[in-house]
Amino acid sequence: MPSIRTTHEEAVCQSFLFLYNKISNTQLSLLRFGNPQKKEPDFICTENVAVEITGIYDNEYQAEKIWSSPRNKVLRKKRDFLLLTLENLNDGICKKLNKLEKGNYNGFSGHIILVCVLQSPLLRDEEIEKYIKEEYIPFRIDGHFDKYFSGIFVYWKSDKNEGYLIRKLE
């Protein structure tokens, strides 16, 4: 039986692929789960594409609170009211780029898309759009890493409707 995390990530991947196909005029579909023992990303898709999912939280307390109950763990972090989701986005991308650089996904030779799931229920669409247009600085600009994802996207629940939205960061 798949874990709650795996089930959640699969649902995110399916939803992301649906939205991605709409905006990019492609027909990507999920083939299978990636195998971390074979150094594969989270999901292997058609057209030689893979998807790696990462959750971006307001703070460590929120991350632990969301996942402690499904994992039958006791919440240990102190309540934190500091909301740093967009600041944590850069850290989350950097961590995944470090893993890419270290060869954690070398078992897959195609294109890898990183999907950053913004978990904050308080973020508004306008804040995210403004951040993307005016504040986000692509990692490729400085050339710090030798390897980069084929695409980096943010994925979030819209505050205007019941659906999810995606935007390409780089």
Coordinates of all heavy atoms in Angstrom, one line a residue, residues 79-168:
R79 N 5.3 26.2 17.8 CA 4.5 26.9 16.9 C 5.3 28.1 16.4 O 5.9 28.8 17.1 CB 3.2 27.4 17.6 CG 2.2 28.0 16.6 CD 0.9 28.4 17.3 NE 0.3 27.2 17.9 CZ -0.7 26.5 17.4 NH1 -1.1 26.8 16.2 NH2 -1.2 25.5 18.0
D80 N 5.2 28.3 15.1 CA 6.0 29.4 14.5 C 5.0 30.2 13.6 O 4.3 29.6 12.7 CB 7.1 28.8 13.6 CG 8.0 29.9 13.0 OD1 7.7 31.1 13.2 OD2 9.1 29.5 12.5
F81 N 4.9 31.5 13.8 CA 4.0 32.3 13.0 C 4.6 33.1 11.9 O 4.0 33.8 11.2 CB 3.2 33.2 14.0 CG 2.3 32.5 14.9 CD1 2.7 32.4 16.2 CD2 1.1 32.0 14.5 CE1 1.9 31.7 17.1 CE2 0.3 31.3 15.4 CZ 0.7 31.2 16.7
L82 N 5.9 32.9 11.8 CA 6.6 33.6 10.7 C 6.4 32.8 9.4 O 6.7 31.7 9.2 CB 8.1 33.5 11.0 CG 9.0 34.4 10.2 CD1 8.6 35.9 10.3 CD2 10.5 34.3 10.7
L83 N 5.8 33.6 8.4 CA 5.5 33.0 7.1 C 6.5 33.3 6.1 O 6.6 34.5 5.7 CB 4.1 33.5 6.7 CG 3.0 33.3 7.7 CD1 1.7 33.8 7.2 CD2 2.8 31.8 8.1
L84 N 7.3 32.3 5.7 CA 8.4 32.5 4.8 C 8.3 31.7 3.5 O 9.4 31.3 3.0 CB 9.7 32.3 5.5 CG 10.0 33.1 6.7 CD1 11.2 32.6 7.5 CD2 10.2 34.6 6.3
T85 N 7.1 31.4 3.1 CA 7.0 30.5 1.9 C 7.8 30.9 0.7 O 8.5 30.1 0.2 CB 5.5 30.3 1.5 OG1 4.8 30.0 2.7 CG2 5.3 29.2 0.5
L86 N 7.7 32.1 0.3 CA 8.4 32.5 -0.9 C 9.9 32.6 -0.7 O 10.7 32.3 -1.6 CB 7.8 33.8 -1.4 CG 6.4 33.7 -1.9 CD1 5.8 35.1 -2.3 CD2 6.3 32.7 -3.1
E87 N 10.3 32.9 0.5 CA 11.7 32.9 0.9 C 12.2 31.5 0.9 O 13.4 31.2 0.4 CB 12.0 33.6 2.2 CG 11.7 35.1 2.3 CD 10.3 35.5 2.5 OE1 9.4 34.6 2.4 OE2 10.0 36.6 2.8
N88 N 11.4 30.6 1.4 CA 11.8 29.2 1.5 C 11.8 28.5 0.1 O 12.5 27.5 -0.1 CB 10.9 28.4 2.4 CG 11.0 28.8 3.8 OD1 12.1 29.3 4.2 ND2 10.0 28.5 4.6
L89 N 11.1 29.1 -0.9 CA 11.1 28.6 -2.3 C 12.5 28.5 -2.8 O 13.0 27.5 -3.4 CB 10.2 29.5 -3.1 CG 10.2 29.1 -4.6 CD1 9.7 27.7 -4.9 CD2 9.3 30.1 -5.4
N90 N 13.3 29.6 -2.7 CA 14.7 29.6 -3.2 C 15.5 28.5 -2.5 O 16.3 27.9 -3.1 CB 15.3 31.0 -2.9 CG 14.9 32.0 -4.0 OD1 14.4 31.6 -5.1 ND2 15.0 33.2 -3.7
D91 N 15.4 28.4 -1.2 CA 16.1 27.3 -0.5 C 15.7 25.9 -1.0 O 16.6 25.1 -1.1 CB 15.8 27.4 1.0 CG 16.4 28.6 1.7 OD1 17.3 29.3 1.1 OD2 15.9 29.0 2.8
G92 N 14.4 25.7 -1.2 CA 14.0 24.4 -1.7 C 14.5 24.1 -3.1 O 15.0 23.0 -3.3
I93 N 14.5 25.1 -3.9 CA 15.1 24.9 -5.3 C 16.6 24.6 -5.2 O 17.1 23.7 -5.9 CB 14.8 26.1 -6.2 CG1 13.3 26.2 -6.5 CG2 15.6 26.0 -7.5 CD1 12.9 27.6 -7.1
C94 N 17.3 25.4 -4.4 CA 18.7 25.2 -4.2 C 19.1 23.8 -3.7 O 20.0 23.1 -4.2 CB 19.3 26.3 -3.3 SG 21.1 26.3 -3.2
K95 N 18.3 23.3 -2.7 CA 18.5 21.9 -2.2 C 18.4 20.9 -3.3 O 19.1 19.9 -3.4 CB 17.5 21.6 -1.1 CG 17.9 22.3 0.2 CD 16.8 22.0 1.3 CE 17.1 22.9 2.5 NZ 16.1 22.7 3.5
K96 N 17.3 21.1 -4.2 CA 17.1 20.1 -5.3 C 18.2 20.2 -6.3 O 18.6 19.2 -6.9 CB 15.7 20.3 -5.9 CG 14.6 19.9 -5.0 CD 14.7 18.3 -4.8 CE 13.5 17.9 -3.9 NZ 13.4 16.4 -3.9
L97 N 18.7 21.5 -6.6 CA 19.8 21.6 -7.5 C 21.1 21.0 -7.0 O 21.8 20.4 -7.8 CB 20.0 23.1 -7.8 CG 19.0 23.8 -8.8 CD1 19.2 25.3 -8.7 CD2 19.2 23.2 -10.2
N98 N 21.3 21.1 -5.7 CA 22.4 20.4 -5.1 C 22.3 18.9 -5.3 O 23.3 18.2 -5.6 CB 22.6 20.7 -3.6 CG 23.3 22.0 -3.4 OD1 24.3 22.3 -4.0 ND2 22.8 22.8 -2.5
K99 N 21.1 18.3 -5.1 CA 20.9 16.9 -5.3 C 21.2 16.5 -6.8 O 21.8 15.5 -7.1 CB 19.5 16.5 -4.9 CG 19.3 16.5 -3.4 CD 17.9 16.0 -3.0 CE 17.8 15.9 -1.5 NZ 16.5 15.2 -1.2
L100 N 20.7 17.4 -7.7 CA 20.9 17.1 -9.1 C 22.4 17.1 -9.4 O 22.9 16.3 -10.1 CB 20.2 18.2 -9.9 CG 20.3 18.1 -11.5 CD1 19.5 16.9 -12.0 CD2 19.7 19.4 -12.1
E101 N 23.1 18.1 -8.9 CA 24.5 18.3 -9.1 C 25.3 17.1 -8.5 O 26.3 16.6 -9.1 CB 25.0 19.5 -8.3 CG 26.4 20.0 -8.6 CD 26.5 20.8 -9.9 OE1 25.5 21.1 -10.5 OE2 27.6 21.1 -10.2
K102 N 24.9 16.5 -7.4 CA 25.5 15.4 -6.8 C 25.2 14.0 -7.5 O 25.8 13.0 -7.1 CB 25.1 15.2 -5.3 CG 25.7 16.3 -4.4 CD 25.2 16.2 -3.0 CE 25.8 17.3 -2.1 NZ 25.2 17.3 -0.8
G103 N 24.3 14.1 -8.5 CA 24.0 12.8 -9.2 C 22.9 12.0 -8.7 O 22.7 10.9 -9.1
N104 N 22.0 12.6 -7.8 CA 20.9 11.9 -7.2 C 19.9 11.5 -8.3 O 19.1 10.6 -8.0 CB 20.2 12.7 -6.1 CG 21.0 12.8 -4.9 OD1 22.3 12.7 -4.9 ND2 20.4 13.0 -3.8
Y105 N 19.9 12.1 -9.4 CA 18.9 11.7 -10.5 C 19.6 11.2 -11.7 O 19.0 11.2 -12.8 CB 18.1 12.9 -10.8 CG 17.5 13.7 -9.6 CD1 17.9 15.0 -9.3 CD2 16.6 13.0 -8.7 CE1 17.4 15.6 -8.2 CE2 16.2 13.7 -7.6 CZ 16.5 15.0 -7.4 OH 16.0 15.6 -6.3
N106 N 20.8 10.7 -11.6 CA 21.6 10.2 -12.7 C 21.1 9.0 -13.4 O 21.5 8.6 -14.5 CB 23.1 10.0 -12.4 CG 23.9 11.3 -12.3 OD1 23.4 12.3 -12.7 ND2 25.1 11.2 -11.8
G107 N 20.1 8.3 -12.7 CA 19.5 7.1 -13.3 C 18.5 7.4 -14.4 O 18.0 6.5 -15.0
F108 N 18.3 8.6 -14.6 CA 17.3 9.1 -15.7 C 18.1 10.0 -16.6 O 18.6 11.0 -16.1 CB 16.1 9.7 -15.1 CG 15.1 10.2 -16.1 CD1 14.2 9.2 -16.7 CD2 15.0 11.5 -16.5 CE1 13.3 9.6 -17.6 CE2 14.1 11.9 -17.4 CZ 13.3 11.0 -18.0
S109 N 18.1 9.8 -17.9 CA 18.9 10.6 -18.8 C 18.0 11.6 -19.6 O 18.6 12.3 -20.4 CB 19.6 9.7 -19.8 OG 18.7 8.9 -20.5
G110 N 16.7 11.7 -19.3 CA 15.9 12.6 -20.1 C 15.8 14.0 -19.4 O 16.7 14.4 -18.7
H111 N 14.7 14.7 -19.7 CA 14.4 16.0 -19.2 C 13.7 15.9 -17.8 O 12.8 15.1 -17.7 CB 13.5 16.8 -20.1 CG 14.1 17.0 -21.5 ND1 15.1 18.0 -21.7 CD2 14.0 16.4 -22.6 CE1 15.5 17.9 -23.0 NE2 14.8 16.9 -23.5
I112 N 14.2 16.6 -16.8 CA 13.6 16.6 -15.5 C 13.0 17.9 -15.2 O 13.7 19.0 -15.3 CB 14.7 16.2 -14.4 CG1 15.3 14.9 -14.7 CG2 14.0 16.2 -13.0 CD1 16.5 14.6 -13.8
I113 N 11.7 17.9 -14.8 CA 11.0 19.1 -14.4 C 10.9 19.1 -12.9 O 10.4 18.1 -12.3 CB 9.6 19.2 -15.1 CG1 9.7 19.2 -16.6 CG2 8.8 20.4 -14.5 CD1 8.4 19.1 -17.3
L114 N 11.3 20.2 -12.3 CA 11.1 20.4 -10.8 C 9.8 21.1 -10.6 O 9.6 22.2 -11.1 CB 12.2 21.1 -10.2 CG 12.1 21.4 -8.7 CD1 12.1 20.1 -7.9 CD2 13.3 22.3 -8.2
V115 N 8.9 20.5 -9.7 CA 7.6 21.1 -9.4 C 7.7 21.5 -7.9 O 7.8 20.6 -7.0 CB 6.4 20.2 -9.7 CG1 5.1 20.8 -9.2 CG2 6.4 19.8 -11.1
C116 N 7.6 22.8 -7.6 CA 7.7 23.3 -6.2 C 6.2 23.6 -5.8 O 5.6 24.5 -6.3 CB 8.5 24.6 -6.2 SG 10.1 24.4 -6.8
V117 N 5.8 22.8 -4.8 CA 4.4 22.9 -4.3 C 4.3 23.8 -3.2 O 4.9 23.6 -2.1 CB 3.9 21.5 -3.9 CG1 2.4 21.6 -3.5 CG2 4.0 20.4 -5.0
L118 N 3.7 25.0 -3.4 CA 3.6 26.0 -2.4 C 2.5 25.6 -1.4 O 1.3 25.6 -1.8 CB 3.3 27.4 -3.0 CG 4.4 27.9 -4.0 CD1 4.0 29.2 -4.6 CD2 5.8 27.9 -3.4
Q119 N 2.8 25.3 -0.2 CA 1.8 24.7 0.7 C 1.1 25.7 1.6 O 0.2 25.3 2.3 CB 2.6 23.7 1.7 CG 3.2 22.5 1.0 CD 2.2 21.5 0.5 OE1 1.0 21.6 0.7 NE2 2.7 20.5 -0.1
S120 N 1.4 27.0 1.5 CA 0.8 28.0 2.3 C -0.6 28.2 1.9 O -0.9 28.6 0.8 CB 1.6 29.3 2.3 OG 0.9 30.2 3.1
P121 N -1.6 28.1 2.8 CA -3.0 28.4 2.5 C -3.2 29.9 2.5 O -4.3 30.4 2.1 CB -3.8 27.7 3.6 CG -2.8 27.7 4.8 CD -1.5 27.5 4.2
L122 N -2.3 30.7 2.9 CA -2.4 32.1 3.1 C -1.9 32.9 1.9 O -2.2 34.1 1.8 CB -1.7 32.6 4.4 CG -2.2 31.9 5.6 CD1 -1.4 32.4 6.8 CD2 -3.7 32.2 5.9
L123 N -1.1 32.3 1.0 CA -0.6 33.0 -0.2 C -1.8 33.3 -1.1 O -2.6 32.5 -1.4 CB 0.4 32.1 -0.9 CG 1.8 32.1 -0.3 CD1 2.7 31.2 -1.1 CD2 2.4 33.5 -0.4
R124 N -1.7 34.5 -1.7 CA -2.7 34.9 -2.7 C -2.0 34.9 -4.1 O -0.8 35.1 -4.2 CB -3.2 36.3 -2.3 CG -3.8 36.4 -0.9 CD -4.4 37.7 -0.5 NE -5.5 38.1 -1.5 CZ -6.7 37.6 -1.5 NH1 -7.1 36.7 -0.7 NH2 -7.6 38.1 -2.4
D125 N -2.9 34.6 -5.1 CA -2.4 34.5 -6.4 C -1.6 35.8 -6.8 O -0.5 35.6 -7.4 CB -3.6 34.4 -7.4 CG -4.3 33.1 -7.2 OD1 -3.9 32.2 -6.4 OD2 -5.4 33.0 -7.8
E126 N -2.0 37.0 -6.4 CA -1.3 38.2 -6.8 C 0.1 38.2 -6.2 O 1.0 38.7 -6.8 CB -2.1 39.4 -6.3 CG -3.4 39.6 -7.0 CD -4.5 38.8 -6.4 OE1 -4.4 38.4 -5.2 OE2 -5.6 38.6 -7.0
E127 N 0.2 37.8 -5.0 CA 1.6 37.7 -4.3 C 2.5 36.8 -5.1 O 3.7 37.2 -5.3 CB 1.5 37.1 -2.9 CG 0.9 38.0 -1.9 CD 0.9 37.3 -0.5 OE1 1.9 37.3 0.2 OE2 -0.2 36.7 -0.3
I128 N 2.0 35.7 -5.5 CA 2.9 34.7 -6.2 C 3.2 35.3 -7.6 O 4.4 35.2 -8.0 CB 2.2 33.4 -6.3 CG1 1.9 32.8 -4.9 CG2 3.0 32.4 -7.2 CD1 1.0 31.6 -4.9
E129 N 2.3 35.8 -8.3 CA 2.5 36.4 -9.6 C 3.5 37.5 -9.5 O 4.5 37.6 -10.4 CB 1.2 36.9 -10.3 CG 0.2 35.8 -10.5 CD 0.5 34.8 -11.7 OE1 1.6 35.0 -12.4 OE2 -0.3 33.9 -11.9
K130 N 3.4 38.4 -8.5 CA 4.3 39.5 -8.4 C 5.7 39.0 -8.1 O 6.7 39.5 -8.6 CB 3.8 40.4 -7.2 CG 4.7 41.6 -7.0 CD 4.2 42.5 -5.8 CE 5.0 43.7 -5.7 NZ 5.9 43.7 -4.6
Y131 N 5.8 38.0 -7.2 CA 7.1 37.4 -6.8 C 7.8 36.9 -8.1 O 9.0 37.1 -8.3 CB 6.9 36.3 -5.8 CG 8.2 35.6 -5.4 CD1 9.1 36.2 -4.6 CD2 8.5 34.4 -6.0 CE1 10.3 35.6 -4.3 CE2 9.8 33.8 -5.7 CZ 10.6 34.4 -4.8 OH 11.8 33.8 -4.6
I132 N 7.1 36.2 -8.9 CA 7.6 35.6 -10.1 C 8.1 36.7 -11.1 O 9.2 36.6 -11.6 CB 6.6 34.7 -10.8 CG1 6.3 33.4 -10.0 CG2 7.1 34.2 -12.2 CD1 5.1 32.6 -10.4
K133 N 7.3 37.7 -11.3 CA 7.7 38.7 -12.2 C 8.7 39.7 -11.7 O 9.6 40.2 -12.5 CB 6.4 39.5 -12.6 CG 5.4 38.7 -13.4 CD 4.2 39.5 -13.7 CE 3.2 38.7 -14.5 NZ 1.8 39.2 -14.4
E134 N 8.7 40.0 -10.4 CA 9.5 41.1 -10.0 C 10.7 40.7 -9.0 O 11.6 41.5 -8.9 CB 8.7 42.2 -9.2 CG 7.6 42.8 -10.1 CD 6.7 43.7 -9.4 OE1 7.0 44.1 -8.3 OE2 5.6 44.0 -10.0
E135 N 10.6 39.6 -8.3 CA 11.5 39.3 -7.3 C 12.4 38.0 -7.6 O 13.5 37.9 -7.1 CB 10.8 39.1 -6.0 CG 10.1 40.4 -5.5 CD 9.3 40.3 -4.3 OE1 9.8 39.5 -3.4 OE2 8.2 40.9 -4.2
Y136 N 11.8 37.0 -8.2 CA 12.5 35.8 -8.4 C 13.7 36.0 -9.3 O 13.6 36.6 -10.4 CB 11.6 34.7 -9.0 CG 12.3 33.4 -9.2 CD1 12.6 32.5 -8.1 CD2 12.7 33.0 -10.5 CE1 13.3 31.4 -8.3 CE2 13.4 31.8 -10.7 CZ 13.7 31.0 -9.6 OH 14.4 29.8 -9.8
I137 N 14.9 35.5 -8.9 CA 16.1 35.6 -9.7 C 16.4 34.1 -10.1 O 16.7 33.3 -9.2 CB 17.2 36.2 -8.9 CG1 16.9 37.6 -8.5 CG2 18.5 36.2 -9.8 CD1 17.8 38.3 -7.6
P138 N 16.4 33.8 -11.4 CA 16.7 32.5 -11.8 C 18.1 32.0 -11.4 O 19.0 32.8 -11.4 CB 16.6 32.5 -13.4 CG 15.7 33.7 -13.6 CD 16.0 34.7 -12.5
F139 N 18.2 30.8 -11.1 CA 19.5 30.2 -10.6 C 20.5 30.1 -11.8 O 21.7 30.1 -11.5 CB 19.3 28.8 -10.0 CG 18.7 28.9 -8.6 CD1 17.4 29.0 -8.3 CD2 19.6 28.8 -7.5 CE1 16.9 29.1 -7.0 CE2 19.2 28.8 -6.2 CZ 17.8 29.0 -6.0
R140 N 20.0 29.9 -13.0 CA 20.9 29.8 -14.1 C 21.8 31.0 -14.4 O 22.8 30.9 -15.0 CB 20.1 29.5 -15.4 CG 19.4 28.2 -15.4 CD 18.6 28.1 -16.7 NE 17.7 26.9 -16.7 CZ 18.0 25.7 -17.2 NH1 19.2 25.5 -17.8 NH2 17.2 24.7 -17.1
I141 N 21.3 32.2 -14.0 CA 22.0 33.4 -14.3 C 23.5 33.4 -13.8 O 24.4 33.8 -14.5 CB 21.3 34.6 -13.7 CG1 20.0 34.8 -14.5 CG2 22.1 35.9 -13.7 CD1 19.1 35.9 -14.0
D142 N 23.7 32.9 -12.5 CA 25.0 33.0 -12.0 C 25.9 31.8 -12.4 O 27.1 31.8 -12.2 CB 25.0 33.1 -10.4 CG 24.4 31.9 -9.7 OD1 24.2 30.9 -10.4 OD2 24.2 32.0 -8.5
G143 N 25.3 30.8 -13.0 CA 26.1 29.7 -13.4 C 26.8 28.9 -12.3 O 27.8 28.2 -12.6
H144 N 26.3 29.0 -11.1 CA 26.9 28.3 -10.0 C 26.9 26.8 -10.1 O 27.8 26.1 -9.7 CB 26.2 28.7 -8.7 CG 26.6 28.0 -7.4 ND1 27.8 28.3 -6.8 CD2 26.1 27.0 -6.7 CE1 28.0 27.5 -5.8 NE2 27.0 26.7 -5.7
F145 N 25.8 26.3 -10.7 CA 25.7 24.8 -10.8 C 26.0 24.4 -12.2 O 25.9 25.2 -13.2 CB 24.2 24.4 -10.5 CG 23.8 24.6 -9.1 CD1 23.1 25.7 -8.8 CD2 24.1 23.7 -8.1 CE1 22.7 25.9 -7.5 CE2 23.7 23.9 -6.8 CZ 23.0 25.0 -6.5
D146 N 26.6 23.2 -12.4 CA 26.9 22.6 -13.7 C 25.6 22.0 -14.4 O 25.5 21.9 -15.6 CB 28.0 21.6 -13.6 CG 29.3 22.2 -13.3 OD1 29.6 23.3 -13.7 OD2 30.1 21.5 -12.6
K147 N 24.7 21.6 -13.5 CA 23.4 21.0 -14.0 C 22.2 21.8 -13.5 O 22.2 22.3 -12.4 CB 23.3 19.5 -13.5 CG 24.4 18.6 -13.9 CD 24.2 17.2 -13.3 CE 25.3 16.3 -13.7 NZ 25.1 14.9 -13.1
Y148 N 21.2 21.8 -14.4 CA 20.0 22.5 -14.1 C 18.8 21.7 -14.5 O 18.9 20.8 -15.5 CB 19.9 23.9 -14.7 CG 20.9 24.9 -14.2 CD1 22.2 25.0 -14.7 CD2 20.6 25.6 -13.1 CE1 23.1 25.8 -14.2 CE2 21.6 26.5 -12.5 CZ 22.8 26.6 -13.1 OH 23.7 27.4 -12.5
F149 N 17.7 21.8 -13.9 CA 16.5 21.2 -14.3 C 16.0 21.7 -15.7 O 16.3 22.9 -16.0 CB 15.3 21.3 -13.3 CG 15.6 20.6 -12.0 CD1 16.2 21.3 -10.9 CD2 15.4 19.2 -11.9 CE1 16.4 20.6 -9.7 CE2 15.6 18.6 -10.7 CZ 16.2 19.2 -9.7
S150 N 15.3 20.9 -16.5 CA 14.8 21.4 -17.8 C 13.8 22.5 -17.6 O 13.6 23.3 -18.4 CB 14.2 20.2 -18.5 OG 15.2 19.3 -18.8
G151 N 13.1 22.5 -16.5 CA 12.1 23.5 -16.1 C 11.9 23.5 -14.6 O 12.0 22.4 -14.0
I152 N 11.6 24.6 -14.1 CA 11.2 24.7 -12.7 C 9.9 25.5 -12.6 O 9.8 26.6 -13.1 CB 12.3 25.5 -11.8 CG1 13.6 24.7 -11.9 CG2 11.8 25.6 -10.4 CD1 14.8 25.4 -11.2
F153 N 8.9 24.9 -12.0 CA 7.6 25.4 -11.9 C 7.1 25.6 -10.5 O 7.5 24.8 -9.6 CB 6.6 24.5 -12.6 CG 6.7 24.5 -14.1 CD1 7.7 23.8 -14.8 CD2 5.8 25.2 -14.9 CE1 7.8 23.8 -16.1 CE2 5.9 25.3 -16.2 CZ 6.9 24.6 -16.9
V154 N 6.3 26.5 -10.2 CA 5.5 26.6 -8.9 C 4.1 26.1 -9.2 O 3.6 26.3 -10.3 CB 5.5 28.0 -8.3 CG1 6.9 28.3 -7.8 CG2 5.0 29.0 -9.2
Y155 N 3.6 25.4 -8.2 CA 2.2 24.8 -8.2 C 1.5 25.2 -6.9 O 2.1 25.0 -5.9 CB 2.4 23.3 -8.4 CG 1.2 22.5 -8.2 CD1 0.5 22.1 -9.4 CD2 0.8 22.0 -7.0 CE1 -0.6 21.2 -9.2 CE2 -0.4 21.2 -6.8 CZ -1.0 20.8 -8.0 OH -2.1 20.0 -7.9
W156 N 0.4 25.8 -7.0 CA -0.3 26.2 -5.8 C -1.8 26.2 -6.0 O -2.3 26.3 -7.1 CB 0.1 27.6 -5.3 CG -0.4 28.7 -6.1 CD1 -1.5 29.5 -5.8 CD2 0.1 29.3 -7.3 NE1 -1.6 30.5 -6.7 CE2 -0.7 30.4 -7.7 CE3 1.2 28.9 -8.2 CZ2 -0.5 31.1 -8.8 CZ3 1.4 29.7 -9.3 CH2 0.6 30.7 -9.6
K157 N -2.6 26.2 -4.9 CA -4.0 26.2 -4.9 C -4.4 27.7 -5.0 O -4.0 28.5 -4.2 CB -4.6 25.6 -3.6 CG -6.1 25.5 -3.7 CD -6.6 24.7 -2.5 CE -8.1 24.4 -2.5 NZ -8.9 24.9 -3.5
S158 N -5.2 28.0 -6.0 CA -5.6 29.4 -6.3 C -6.5 29.9 -5.1 O -7.3 29.2 -4.6 CB -6.3 29.5 -7.6 OG -6.9 30.8 -7.8
D159 N -6.3 31.2 -4.8 CA -7.2 31.8 -3.8 C -8.5 32.3 -4.4 O -9.5 32.6 -3.8 CB -6.5 32.9 -3.0 CG -6.3 34.1 -3.9 OD1 -5.9 33.9 -5.1 OD2 -6.4 35.2 -3.4
K160 N -8.6 32.2 -5.8 CA -9.8 32.8 -6.5 C -10.8 31.7 -6.9 O -11.9 32.0 -7.2 CB -9.3 33.5 -7.7 CG -8.6 34.8 -7.4 CD -8.3 35.5 -8.7 CE -7.7 36.9 -8.5 NZ -6.5 36.9 -7.8
N161 N -10.3 30.4 -6.9 CA -11.2 29.3 -7.3 C -10.8 28.1 -6.6 O -9.9 28.1 -5.8 CB -11.3 29.2 -8.8 CG -9.9 28.8 -9.4 OD1 -9.2 28.0 -8.8 ND2 -9.6 29.4 -10.5
E162 N -11.4 27.0 -6.9 CA -11.1 25.7 -6.3 C -9.9 25.0 -6.9 O -9.5 23.9 -6.5 CB -12.3 24.8 -6.3 CG -13.5 25.3 -5.5 CD -13.1 25.4 -4.0 OE1 -12.5 24.4 -3.4 OE2 -13.4 26.4 -3.4
G163 N -9.4 25.5 -8.0 CA -8.4 24.8 -8.8 C -7.0 25.2 -8.4 O -6.7 26.0 -7.5
Y164 N -6.0 24.6 -9.1 CA -4.6 24.8 -8.9 C -4.1 25.5 -10.1 O -4.6 25.4 -11.2 CB -3.9 23.5 -8.7 CG -4.1 22.9 -7.3 CD1 -5.3 22.1 -7.1 CD2 -3.2 23.1 -6.3 CE1 -5.5 21.6 -5.8 CE2 -3.5 22.6 -5.0 CZ -4.6 21.8 -4.8 OH -4.8 21.3 -3.6
L165 N -3.0 26.2 -9.9 CA -2.3 27.0 -11.0 C -0.8 26.6 -11.0 O -0.3 26.1 -10.0 CB -2.4 28.5 -10.7 CG -3.8 29.1 -10.7 CD1 -3.7 30.5 -10.2 CD2 -4.5 28.9 -12.0
I166 N -0.2 26.7 -12.2 CA 1.2 26.5 -12.3 C 1.8 27.7 -13.1 O 1.1 28.4 -13.9 CB 1.6 25.2 -13.0 CG1 1.1 25.2 -14.5 CG2 1.2 24.0 -12.3 CD1 1.6 24.1 -15.3
R167 N 3.1 28.1 -12.7 CA 3.8 29.1 -13.5 C 5.2 28.6 -13.6 O 5.8 28.1 -12.6 CB 3.8 30.4 -12.8 CG 2.4 31.1 -12.7 CD 1.9 31.6 -14.0 NE 0.6 32.2 -13.9 CZ -0.6 31.6 -14.0 NH1 -0.6 30.3 -14.2 NH2 -1.7 32.3 -13.9
K168 N 5.8 28.9 -14.7 CA 7.2 28.5 -14.9 C 8.1 29.6 -14.3 O 7.9 30.8 -14.5 CB 7.5 28.4 -16.4 CG 8.9 27.8 -16.6 CD 9.1 27.5 -18.1 CE 10.5 26.8 -18.3 NZ 10.7 26.4 -19.6

